[in-house]
Amino acid sequence: MGHPQLPTTESAVRAIREIADAYRLEMTVTDDIGADRTSRRTAAGAFAVLDPDGSLPHEAYVELGGSPAVSVQLFPEDDAKIIVDGVEFPDLPRASVPAFLRSVYGGTAWVKARSFPPGQWLIVPLPGDETYKELILRGALTPWLARGIR
């Protein structure tokens, strides 16, 4: 895809901060640095701080204020998990995070409702032909999600 590369967790946090500034959102960041601190590190041994290659893995958890409630977890493995008003998008490429957030805050994300089988999905289109879609659990339709139903 034509996303700019975000080679590090730091560069991804910087990109999210620019989006938060553009949409006037409060932002909090929690950093976990070292294999002993990151959530899914399996390559390093117990109590190891460095990965086997000598690098220091960096993971960040970002919360954005406002509506919708958005959190972004950036993993050292170049992927991320984004939660939008309770709807979880796991395993997103880290490079897709800025475009994903611009879609959510810029108004191009929407909710698809189907009567049979019944269900609602949050659809997040990105530039090009990339689209992410996740099921909204029953009873989890927030006011922000309800506004986007098509």
Side-chain angles (χ1 to χ4, degrees):
M1 226 27 273
H3 301 298
Q5 287 305 304
L6 296 171
T8 65
T9 298
E10 276 180 57
S11 61
V13 169
R14 262 193 312 277
I16 295 169
R17 190 174 307 282
E18 289 172 11
I19 292 164
D21 289 348
Y23 289 97
R24 295 186 169 95
L25 304 168
E26 285 189 30
M27 177 175 149
T28 58
V29 180
T30 305
D31 291 293
D32 287 316
I33 299 174
D36 60 333
R37 301 277 312 271
T38 57
S39 66
R40 336 188 279 210
R41 241 335 134 184
T42 54
F47 308 110
V49 174
L50 301 176
D51 275 351
D53 66 0
S55 67
L56 203 59
H58 179 191
E59 178 175 301
Y61 180 77
V62 180
E63 288 183 287
L64 297 166
S67 181
V70 174
S71 66
V72 181
Q73 191 165 9
L74 299 160
F75 299 106
E77 295 86 1
D78 297 332
D79 65 329
K81 173 174 74 174
I82 298 179
I83 301 174
V84 179
D85 261 7
V87 181
E88 186 174 313
F89 291 82
D91 303 319
L92 291 170
R94 179 165 53 204
S96 296
V97 169
F100 186 100
L101 294 175
R102 279 189 209 95
S103 179
V104 167
Y105 291 113
T108 56
W110 57 285
V111 173
K112 177 181 181 178
R114 232 173 48 193
S115 52
F116 191 83
Q120 296 162 325
W121 288 264
L122 178 55
I123 312 291
V124 183
L126 275 51
D129 288 336
E130 197 174 356
T131 299
Y132 292 95
K133 173 174 116 173
E134 288 294 334
L135 181 65
I136 300 168
L137 298 177
R138 181 178 297 225
L141 198 64
T142 65
W144 183 86
L145 291 167
R147 280 197 302 269
I149 293 178
R150 290 188 198 164

